[in-house]
PDB file of all heavy atoms in Angstrom:
ATOM      1  N   LEU A   1      11.317   1.656   4.400  1.00  0.00           N
ATOM      2  CA  LEU A   1      11.154   0.211   4.328  1.00  0.00           C
ATOM      3  C   LEU A   1      11.500  -0.266   2.921  1.00  0.00           C
ATOM      4  O   LEU A   1      10.971   0.264   1.938  1.00  0.00           O
ATOM      5  CB  LEU A   1       9.709  -0.165   4.665  1.00  0.00           C
ATOM      6  CG  LEU A   1       9.254  -1.595   4.368  1.00  0.00           C
ATOM      7  CD1 LEU A   1      10.020  -2.607   5.210  1.00  0.00           C
ATOM      8  CD2 LEU A   1       7.748  -1.746   4.604  1.00  0.00           C
ATOM      9  N   LEU A   2      12.368  -1.268   2.832  1.00  0.00           N
ATOM     10  CA  LEU A   2      12.661  -1.960   1.574  1.00  0.00           C
ATOM     11  C   LEU A   2      12.151  -3.383   1.691  1.00  0.00           C
ATOM     12  O   LEU A   2      12.547  -4.114   2.598  1.00  0.00           O
ATOM     13  CB  LEU A   2      14.171  -1.974   1.296  1.00  0.00           C
ATOM     14  CG  LEU A   2      14.635  -2.872   0.130  1.00  0.00           C
ATOM     15  CD1 LEU A   2      14.038  -2.427  -1.195  1.00  0.00           C
ATOM     16  CD2 LEU A   2      16.165  -2.903   0.054  1.00  0.00           C
ATOM     17  N   ASP A   3      11.261  -3.774   0.771  1.00  0.00           N
ATOM     18  CA  ASP A   3      10.757  -5.146   0.718  1.00  0.00           C
ATOM     19  C   ASP A   3      11.443  -5.895  -0.420  1.00  0.00           C
ATOM     20  O   ASP A   3      11.499  -5.385  -1.549  1.00  0.00           O
ATOM     21  CB  ASP A   3       9.246  -5.156   0.466  1.00  0.00           C
ATOM     22  CG  ASP A   3       8.424  -5.040   1.736  1.00  0.00           C
ATOM     23  OD1 ASP A   3       9.002  -5.139   2.834  1.00  0.00           O
ATOM     24  OD2 ASP A   3       7.203  -4.852   1.630  1.00  0.00           O
ATOM     25  N   LEU A   4      11.927  -7.102  -0.134  1.00  0.00           N
ATOM     26  CA  LEU A   4      12.439  -8.004  -1.158  1.00  0.00           C
ATOM     27  C   LEU A   4      11.476  -9.175  -1.302  1.00  0.00           C
ATOM     28  O   LEU A   4      10.954  -9.677  -0.307  1.00  0.00           O
ATOM     29  CB  LEU A   4      13.823  -8.553  -0.777  1.00  0.00           C
ATOM     30  CG  LEU A   4      14.939  -7.565  -0.452  1.00  0.00           C
ATOM     31  CD1 LEU A   4      16.249  -8.315  -0.216  1.00  0.00           C
ATOM     32  CD2 LEU A   4      15.096  -6.525  -1.542  1.00  0.00           C
ATOM     33  N   HIS A   5      11.265  -9.628  -2.545  1.00  0.00           N
ATOM     34  CA  HIS A   5      10.336 -10.741  -2.772  1.00  0.00           C
ATOM     35  C   HIS A   5      10.809 -11.542  -3.978  1.00  0.00           C
ATOM     36  O   HIS A   5      11.274 -10.964  -4.962  1.00  0.00           O
ATOM     37  CB  HIS A   5       8.921 -10.215  -3.038  1.00  0.00           C
ATOM     38  CG  HIS A   5       7.850 -10.996  -2.365  1.00  0.00           C
ATOM     39  ND1 HIS A   5       7.041 -10.496  -1.368  1.00  0.00           N
ATOM     40  CD2 HIS A   5       7.446 -12.287  -2.516  1.00  0.00           C
ATOM     41  CE1 HIS A   5       6.193 -11.408  -0.950  1.00  0.00           C
ATOM     42  NE2 HIS A   5       6.418 -12.522  -1.644  1.00  0.00           N
ATOM     43  N   THR A   6      10.698 -12.871  -3.903  1.00  0.00           N
ATOM     44  CA  THR A   6      10.924 -13.688  -5.081  1.00  0.00           C
ATOM     45  C   THR A   6       9.712 -13.576  -6.009  1.00  0.00           C
ATOM     46  O   THR A   6       8.582 -13.381  -5.552  1.00  0.00           O
ATOM     47  CB  THR A   6      11.166 -15.162  -4.707  1.00  0.00           C
ATOM     48  OG1 THR A   6      10.099 -15.618  -3.871  1.00  0.00           O
ATOM     49  CG2 THR A   6      12.485 -15.335  -3.985  1.00  0.00           C
ATOM     50  N   THR A   7       9.951 -13.727  -7.314  1.00  0.00           N
ATOM     51  CA  THR A   7       8.875 -13.518  -8.276  1.00  0.00           C
ATOM     52  C   THR A   7       7.915 -14.696  -8.362  1.00  0.00           C
ATOM     53  O   THR A   7       6.812 -14.550  -8.886  1.00  0.00           O
ATOM     54  CB  THR A   7       9.451 -13.234  -9.672  1.00  0.00           C
ATOM     55  OG1 THR A   7      10.310 -14.324 -10.057  1.00  0.00           O
ATOM     56  CG2 THR A   7      10.242 -11.933  -9.675  1.00  0.00           C
ATOM     57  N   ALA A   8       8.320 -15.869  -7.884  1.00  0.00           N
ATOM     58  CA  ALA A   8       7.448 -17.052  -7.929  1.00  0.00           C
ATOM     59  C   ALA A   8       7.355 -17.644  -6.530  1.00  0.00           C
ATOM     60  O   ALA A   8       7.901 -18.709  -6.239  1.00  0.00           O
ATOM     61  CB  ALA A   8       7.971 -18.088  -8.919  1.00  0.00           C
ATOM     62  N   ASP A   9       6.662 -16.931  -5.663  1.00  0.00           N
ATOM     63  CA  ASP A   9       6.501 -17.305  -4.258  1.00  0.00           C
ATOM     64  C   ASP A   9       5.185 -18.057  -4.106  1.00  0.00           C
ATOM     65  O   ASP A   9       4.106 -17.502  -4.329  1.00  0.00           O
ATOM     66  CB  ASP A   9       6.505 -16.043  -3.395  1.00  0.00           C
ATOM     67  CG  ASP A   9       6.517 -16.322  -1.901  1.00  0.00           C
ATOM     68  OD1 ASP A   9       5.983 -17.375  -1.482  1.00  0.00           O
ATOM     69  OD2 ASP A   9       7.040 -15.491  -1.147  1.00  0.00           O
ATOM     70  N   GLN A  10       5.268 -19.317  -3.687  1.00  0.00           N
ATOM     71  CA  GLN A  10       4.080 -20.162  -3.638  1.00  0.00           C
ATOM     72  C   GLN A  10       3.235 -19.947  -2.387  1.00  0.00           C
ATOM     73  O   GLN A  10       2.055 -20.313  -2.365  1.00  0.00           O
ATOM     74  CB  GLN A  10       4.472 -21.645  -3.754  1.00  0.00           C
ATOM     75  CG  GLN A  10       4.973 -22.302  -2.472  1.00  0.00           C
ATOM     76  CD  GLN A  10       6.419 -21.991  -2.109  1.00  0.00           C
ATOM     77  OE1 GLN A  10       6.993 -21.005  -2.553  1.00  0.00           O
ATOM     78  NE2 GLN A  10       7.004 -22.858  -1.292  1.00  0.00           N
ATOM     79  N   LEU A  11       3.807 -19.388  -1.334  1.00  0.00           N
ATOM     80  CA  LEU A  11       3.091 -19.240  -0.068  1.00  0.00           C
ATOM     81  C   LEU A  11       2.620 -17.812   0.188  1.00  0.00           C
ATOM     82  O   LEU A  11       1.515 -17.594   0.692  1.00  0.00           O
ATOM     83  CB  LEU A  11       3.964 -19.715   1.102  1.00  0.00           C
ATOM     84  CG  LEU A  11       4.313 -21.200   1.119  1.00  0.00           C
ATOM     85  CD1 LEU A  11       5.113 -21.531   2.368  1.00  0.00           C
ATOM     86  CD2 LEU A  11       3.054 -22.063   1.051  1.00  0.00           C
ATOM     87  N   VAL A  12       3.462 -16.843  -0.103  1.00  0.00           N
ATOM     88  CA  VAL A  12       3.088 -15.435   0.005  1.00  0.00           C
ATOM     89  C   VAL A  12       3.258 -14.841  -1.391  1.00  0.00           C
ATOM     90  O   VAL A  12       4.336 -14.376  -1.747  1.00  0.00           O
ATOM     91  CB  VAL A  12       3.951 -14.688   1.040  1.00  0.00           C
ATOM     92  CG1 VAL A  12       3.533 -13.217   1.106  1.00  0.00           C
ATOM     93  CG2 VAL A  12       3.820 -15.327   2.412  1.00  0.00           C
ATOM     94  N   PRO A  13       2.220 -14.902  -2.221  1.00  0.00           N
ATOM     95  CA  PRO A  13       2.369 -14.475  -3.612  1.00  0.00           C
ATOM     96  C   PRO A  13       2.957 -13.078  -3.733  1.00  0.00           C
ATOM     97  O   PRO A  13       2.635 -12.180  -2.947  1.00  0.00           O
ATOM     98  CB  PRO A  13       0.928 -14.523  -4.147  1.00  0.00           C
ATOM     99  CG  PRO A  13       0.228 -15.507  -3.261  1.00  0.00           C
ATOM    100  CD  PRO A  13       0.848 -15.350  -1.914  1.00  0.00           C
ATOM    101  N   VAL A  14       3.810 -12.904  -4.731  1.00  0.00           N
ATOM    102  CA  VAL A  14       4.460 -11.610  -4.936  1.00  0.00           C
ATOM    103  C   VAL A  14       3.430 -10.515  -5.176  1.00  0.00           C
ATOM    104  O   VAL A  14       3.701  -9.331  -4.910  1.00  0.00           O
ATOM    105  CB  VAL A  14       5.462 -11.707  -6.107  1.00  0.00           C
ATOM    106  CG1 VAL A  14       4.746 -11.913  -7.434  1.00  0.00           C
ATOM    107  CG2 VAL A  14       6.389 -10.496  -6.148  1.00  0.00           C
ATOM    108  N   GLU A  15       2.225 -10.886  -5.596  1.00  0.00           N
ATOM    109  CA  GLU A  15       1.149  -9.914  -5.781  1.00  0.00           C
ATOM    110  C   GLU A  15       0.811  -9.161  -4.494  1.00  0.00           C
ATOM    111  O   GLU A  15       0.245  -8.063  -4.549  1.00  0.00           O
ATOM    112  CB  GLU A  15      -0.107 -10.614  -6.317  1.00  0.00           C
ATOM    113  CG  GLU A  15      -0.012 -11.058  -7.762  1.00  0.00           C
ATOM    114  CD  GLU A  15       0.567 -12.451  -7.944  1.00  0.00           C
ATOM    115  OE1 GLU A  15       1.196 -12.977  -6.982  1.00  0.00           O
ATOM    116  OE2 GLU A  15       0.407 -13.028  -9.042  1.00  0.00           O
ATOM    117  N   GLN A  16       1.163  -9.729  -3.340  1.00  0.00           N
ATOM    118  CA  GLN A  16       0.913  -9.009  -2.089  1.00  0.00           C
ATOM    119  C   GLN A  16       1.639  -7.666  -2.067  1.00  0.00           C
ATOM    120  O   GLN A  16       1.167  -6.702  -1.457  1.00  0.00           O
ATOM    121  CB  GLN A  16       1.338  -9.867  -0.891  1.00  0.00           C
ATOM    122  CG  GLN A  16       0.420 -11.033  -0.615  1.00  0.00           C
ATOM    123  CD  GLN A  16       0.309 -11.346   0.866  1.00  0.00           C
ATOM    124  OE1 GLN A  16       0.718 -10.574   1.735  1.00  0.00           O
ATOM    125  NE2 GLN A  16      -0.278 -12.484   1.187  1.00  0.00           N
ATOM    126  N   GLU A  17       2.797  -7.594  -2.719  1.00  0.00           N
ATOM    127  CA  GLU A  17       3.541  -6.333  -2.739  1.00  0.00           C
ATOM    128  C   GLU A  17       2.769  -5.250  -3.486  1.00  0.00           C
ATOM    129  O   GLU A  17       2.867  -4.060  -3.163  1.00  0.00           O
ATOM    130  CB  GLU A  17       4.913  -6.543  -3.377  1.00  0.00           C
ATOM    131  CG  GLU A  17       5.828  -7.511  -2.623  1.00  0.00           C
ATOM    132  CD  GLU A  17       6.335  -6.967  -1.301  1.00  0.00           C
ATOM    133  OE1 GLU A  17       6.170  -5.752  -1.026  1.00  0.00           O
ATOM    134  OE2 GLU A  17       6.919  -7.774  -0.526  1.00  0.00           O
ATOM    135  N   ASN A  18       1.996  -5.641  -4.491  1.00  0.00           N
ATOM    136  CA  ASN A  18       1.172  -4.687  -5.223  1.00  0.00           C
ATOM    137  C   ASN A  18       0.121  -4.076  -4.302  1.00  0.00           C
ATOM    138  O   ASN A  18      -0.043  -2.851  -4.236  1.00  0.00           O
ATOM    139  CB  ASN A  18       0.515  -5.404  -6.413  1.00  0.00           C
ATOM    140  CG  ASN A  18      -0.360  -4.513  -7.268  1.00  0.00           C
ATOM    141  OD1 ASN A  18      -1.287  -3.871  -6.776  1.00  0.00           O
ATOM    142  ND2 ASN A  18      -0.084  -4.477  -8.566  1.00  0.00           N
ATOM    143  N   ALA A  19      -0.584  -4.939  -3.567  1.00  0.00           N
ATOM    144  CA  ALA A  19      -1.614  -4.443  -2.644  1.00  0.00           C
ATOM    145  C   ALA A  19      -1.003  -3.550  -1.574  1.00  0.00           C
ATOM    146  O   ALA A  19      -1.563  -2.497  -1.226  1.00  0.00           O
ATOM    147  CB  ALA A  19      -2.342  -5.628  -2.007  1.00  0.00           C
ATOM    148  N   PHE A  20       0.142  -3.952  -1.048  1.00  0.00           N
ATOM    149  CA  PHE A  20       0.794  -3.182   0.012  1.00  0.00           C
ATOM    150  C   PHE A  20       1.232  -1.808  -0.505  1.00  0.00           C
ATOM    151  O   PHE A  20       1.016  -0.781   0.159  1.00  0.00           O
ATOM    152  CB  PHE A  20       1.988  -3.966   0.534  1.00  0.00           C
ATOM    153  CG  PHE A  20       2.707  -3.313   1.683  1.00  0.00           C
ATOM    154  CD1 PHE A  20       2.082  -3.134   2.898  1.00  0.00           C
ATOM    155  CD2 PHE A  20       4.021  -2.894   1.547  1.00  0.00           C
ATOM    156  CE1 PHE A  20       2.749  -2.545   3.969  1.00  0.00           C
ATOM    157  CE2 PHE A  20       4.699  -2.314   2.606  1.00  0.00           C
ATOM    158  CZ  PHE A  20       4.059  -2.133   3.816  1.00  0.00           C
ATOM    159  N   ALA A  21       1.835  -1.772  -1.679  1.00  0.00           N
ATOM    160  CA  ALA A  21       2.316  -0.500  -2.223  1.00  0.00           C
ATOM    161  C   ALA A  21       1.175   0.477  -2.443  1.00  0.00           C
ATOM    162  O   ALA A  21       1.307   1.682  -2.182  1.00  0.00           O
ATOM    163  CB  ALA A  21       3.066  -0.742  -3.531  1.00  0.00           C
ATOM    164  N   ARG A  22       0.034  -0.022  -2.916  1.00  0.00           N
ATOM    165  CA  ARG A  22      -1.113   0.862  -3.125  1.00  0.00           C
ATOM    166  C   ARG A  22      -1.613   1.439  -1.802  1.00  0.00           C
ATOM    167  O   ARG A  22      -2.007   2.608  -1.724  1.00  0.00           O
ATOM    168  CB  ARG A  22      -2.229   0.115  -3.864  1.00  0.00           C
ATOM    169  CG  ARG A  22      -1.914  -0.142  -5.332  1.00  0.00           C
ATOM    170  CD  ARG A  22      -3.073  -0.724  -6.107  1.00  0.00           C
ATOM    171  NE  ARG A  22      -3.353  -2.100  -5.725  1.00  0.00           N
ATOM    172  CZ  ARG A  22      -4.431  -2.504  -5.075  1.00  0.00           C
ATOM    173  NH1 ARG A  22      -5.350  -1.629  -4.701  1.00  0.00           N
ATOM    174  NH2 ARG A  22      -4.622  -3.778  -4.780  1.00  0.00           N
ATOM    175  N   ARG A  23      -1.594   0.630  -0.762  1.00  0.00           N
ATOM    176  CA  ARG A  23      -2.062   1.119   0.544  1.00  0.00           C
ATOM    177  C   ARG A  23      -1.089   2.150   1.130  1.00  0.00           C
ATOM    178  O   ARG A  23      -1.513   3.163   1.698  1.00  0.00           O
ATOM    179  CB  ARG A  23      -2.244  -0.062   1.490  1.00  0.00           C
ATOM    180  CG  ARG A  23      -3.408  -0.957   1.068  1.00  0.00           C
ATOM    181  CD  ARG A  23      -3.438  -2.277   1.797  1.00  0.00           C
ATOM    182  NE  ARG A  23      -4.470  -3.137   1.228  1.00  0.00           N
ATOM    183  CZ  ARG A  23      -4.646  -4.405   1.542  1.00  0.00           C
ATOM    184  NH1 ARG A  23      -3.865  -4.976   2.440  1.00  0.00           N
ATOM    185  NH2 ARG A  23      -5.603  -5.106   0.972  1.00  0.00           N
ATOM    186  N   VAL A  24       0.209   1.883   0.988  1.00  0.00           N
ATOM    187  CA  VAL A  24       1.187   2.852   1.482  1.00  0.00           C
ATOM    188  C   VAL A  24       1.074   4.159   0.699  1.00  0.00           C
ATOM    189  O   VAL A  24       1.144   5.252   1.280  1.00  0.00           O
ATOM    190  CB  VAL A  24       2.611   2.266   1.387  1.00  0.00           C
ATOM    191  CG1 VAL A  24       3.652   3.334   1.722  1.00  0.00           C
ATOM    192  CG2 VAL A  24       2.769   1.078   2.336  1.00  0.00           C
ATOM    193  N   ALA A  25       0.892   4.062  -0.616  1.00  0.00           N
ATOM    194  CA  ALA A  25       0.741   5.274  -1.428  1.00  0.00           C
ATOM    195  C   ALA A  25      -0.483   6.069  -0.998  1.00  0.00           C
ATOM    196  O   ALA A  25      -0.434   7.306  -0.922  1.00  0.00           O
ATOM    197  CB  ALA A  25       0.658   4.907  -2.906  1.00  0.00           C
ATOM    198  N   ARG A  26      -1.581   5.367  -0.705  1.00  0.00           N
ATOM    199  CA  ARG A  26      -2.799   6.075  -0.274  1.00  0.00           C
ATOM    200  C   ARG A  26      -2.594   6.811   1.043  1.00  0.00           C
ATOM    201  O   ARG A  26      -3.251   7.815   1.306  1.00  0.00           O
ATOM    202  CB  ARG A  26      -3.973   5.091  -0.151  1.00  0.00           C
ATOM    203  CG  ARG A  26      -4.552   4.643  -1.486  1.00  0.00           C
ATOM    204  CD  ARG A  26      -5.962   4.085  -1.334  1.00  0.00           C
ATOM    205  NE  ARG A  26      -6.014   2.900  -0.495  1.00  0.00           N
ATOM    206  CZ  ARG A  26      -5.966   1.652  -0.957  1.00  0.00           C
ATOM    207  NH1 ARG A  26      -5.840   1.438  -2.260  1.00  0.00           N
ATOM    208  NH2 ARG A  26      -6.052   0.630  -0.138  1.00  0.00           N
ATOM    209  N   SER A  27      -1.689   6.303   1.869  1.00  0.00           N
ATOM    210  CA  SER A  27      -1.420   6.960   3.150  1.00  0.00           C
ATOM    211  C   SER A  27      -0.544   8.194   2.987  1.00  0.00           C
ATOM    212  O   SER A  27      -0.373   8.962   3.941  1.00  0.00           O
ATOM    213  CB  SER A  27      -0.736   5.981   4.114  1.00  0.00           C
ATOM    214  OG  SER A  27       0.636   5.835   3.789  1.00  0.00           O
ATOM    215  N   GLY A  28       0.042   8.367   1.803  1.00  0.00           N
ATOM    216  CA  GLY A  28       0.944   9.490   1.569  1.00  0.00           C
ATOM    217  C   GLY A  28       2.393   9.189   1.869  1.00  0.00           C
ATOM    218  O   GLY A  28       3.235  10.092   1.800  1.00  0.00           O
ATOM    219  N   ASP A  29       2.717   7.906   2.182  1.00  0.00           N
ATOM    220  CA  ASP A  29       4.079   7.559   2.576  1.00  0.00           C
ATOM    221  C   ASP A  29       4.822   6.748   1.514  1.00  0.00           C
ATOM    222  O   ASP A  29       5.798   6.061   1.815  1.00  0.00           O
ATOM    223  CB  ASP A  29       4.051   6.761   3.890  1.00  0.00           C
ATOM    224  CG  ASP A  29       3.621   7.608   5.070  1.00  0.00           C
ATOM    225  OD1 ASP A  29       3.891   8.819   5.053  1.00  0.00           O
ATOM    226  OD2 ASP A  29       3.011   7.053   6.008  1.00  0.00           O
ATOM    227  N   GLY A  30       4.369   6.831   0.264  1.00  0.00           N
ATOM    228  CA  GLY A  30       4.999   6.047  -0.792  1.00  0.00           C
ATOM    229  C   GLY A  30       6.478   6.330  -0.962  1.00  0.00           C
ATOM    230  O   GLY A  30       7.234   5.448  -1.381  1.00  0.00           O
ATOM    231  N   GLY A  31       6.927   7.533  -0.625  1.00  0.00           N
ATOM    232  CA  GLY A  31       8.336   7.866  -0.758  1.00  0.00           C
ATOM    233  C   GLY A  31       9.240   7.097   0.179  1.00  0.00           C
ATOM    234  O   GLY A  31      10.449   6.998  -0.070  1.00  0.00           O
ATOM    235  N   LEU A  32       8.670   6.549   1.258  1.00  0.00           N
ATOM    236  CA  LEU A  32       9.479   5.777   2.210  1.00  0.00           C
ATOM    237  C   LEU A  32       9.632   4.318   1.799  1.00  0.00           C
ATOM    238  O   LEU A  32      10.490   3.616   2.339  1.00  0.00           O
ATOM    239  CB  LEU A  32       8.847   5.839   3.602  1.00  0.00           C
ATOM    240  CG  LEU A  32       8.923   7.179   4.325  1.00  0.00           C
ATOM    241  CD1 LEU A  32       8.066   7.150   5.592  1.00  0.00           C
ATOM    242  CD2 LEU A  32      10.370   7.523   4.674  1.00  0.00           C
ATOM    243  N   LEU A  33       8.803   3.855   0.873  1.00  0.00           N
ATOM    244  CA  LEU A  33       8.790   2.444   0.501  1.00  0.00           C
ATOM    245  C   LEU A  33       9.539   2.202  -0.801  1.00  0.00           C
ATOM    246  O   LEU A  33       9.361   2.921  -1.780  1.00  0.00           O
ATOM    247  CB  LEU A  33       7.343   1.962   0.328  1.00  0.00           C
ATOM    248  CG  LEU A  33       7.158   0.512  -0.134  1.00  0.00           C
ATOM    249  CD1 LEU A  33       7.653  -0.472   0.922  1.00  0.00           C
ATOM    250  CD2 LEU A  33       5.696   0.241  -0.488  1.00  0.00           C
ATOM    251  N   ARG A  34      10.368   1.164  -0.798  1.00  0.00           N
ATOM    252  CA  ARG A  34      10.963   0.630  -2.014  1.00  0.00           C
ATOM    253  C   ARG A  34      10.755  -0.878  -2.019  1.00  0.00           C
ATOM    254  O   ARG A  34      10.734  -1.515  -0.956  1.00  0.00           O
ATOM    255  CB  ARG A  34      12.447   0.952  -2.114  1.00  0.00           C
ATOM    256  CG  ARG A  34      12.762   2.416  -2.303  1.00  0.00           C
ATOM    257  CD  ARG A  34      12.272   2.922  -3.654  1.00  0.00           C
ATOM    258  NE  ARG A  34      12.637   4.320  -3.895  1.00  0.00           N
ATOM    259  CZ  ARG A  34      11.911   5.362  -3.524  1.00  0.00           C
ATOM    260  NH1 ARG A  34      10.777   5.178  -2.871  1.00  0.00           N
ATOM    261  NH2 ARG A  34      12.309   6.584  -3.804  1.00  0.00           N
ATOM    262  N   GLN A  35      10.588  -1.443  -3.205  1.00  0.00           N
ATOM    263  CA  GLN A  35      10.374  -2.882  -3.356  1.00  0.00           C
ATOM    264  C   GLN A  35      11.304  -3.393  -4.442  1.00  0.00           C
ATOM    265  O   GLN A  35      11.479  -2.742  -5.477  1.00  0.00           O
ATOM    266  CB  GLN A  35       8.909  -3.168  -3.709  1.00  0.00           C
ATOM    267  CG  GLN A  35       7.938  -2.806  -2.593  1.00  0.00           C
ATOM    268  CD  GLN A  35       6.505  -2.684  -3.068  1.00  0.00           C
ATOM    269  OE1 GLN A  35       6.203  -1.883  -3.964  1.00  0.00           O
ATOM    270  NE2 GLN A  35       5.598  -3.465  -2.489  1.00  0.00           N
ATOM    271  N   ALA A  36      11.916  -4.544  -4.209  1.00  0.00           N
ATOM    272  CA  ALA A  36      12.849  -5.130  -5.174  1.00  0.00           C
ATOM    273  C   ALA A  36      12.567  -6.622  -5.271  1.00  0.00           C
ATOM    274  O   ALA A  36      12.094  -7.248  -4.314  1.00  0.00           O
ATOM    275  CB  ALA A  36      14.292  -4.869  -4.751  1.00  0.00           C
ATOM    276  N   TYR A  37      12.911  -7.187  -6.421  1.00  0.00           N
ATOM    277  CA  TYR A  37      12.463  -8.545  -6.734  1.00  0.00           C
ATOM    278  C   TYR A  37      13.617  -9.411  -7.212  1.00  0.00           C
ATOM    279  O   TYR A  37      14.523  -8.942  -7.916  1.00  0.00           O
ATOM    280  CB  TYR A  37      11.346  -8.483  -7.779  1.00  0.00           C
ATOM    281  CG  TYR A  37      10.195  -7.646  -7.277  1.00  0.00           C
ATOM    282  CD1 TYR A  37      10.095  -6.295  -7.616  1.00  0.00           C
ATOM    283  CD2 TYR A  37       9.264  -8.183  -6.393  1.00  0.00           C
ATOM    284  CE1 TYR A  37       9.062  -5.513  -7.114  1.00  0.00           C
ATOM    285  CE2 TYR A  37       8.235  -7.405  -5.884  1.00  0.00           C
ATOM    286  CZ  TYR A  37       8.132  -6.068  -6.250  1.00  0.00           C
ATOM    287  OH  TYR A  37       7.124  -5.303  -5.721  1.00  0.00           O
TER     288      TYR A  37
END
């Protein structure tokens, strides 16, 4: 999964990607995730 996000998102704050990445890492699947901004 590759997630793209704008850095100044007023409706879905880019900070959501931080929470998501931590959860994916805890599951052991961090190698499948990439995020770009």
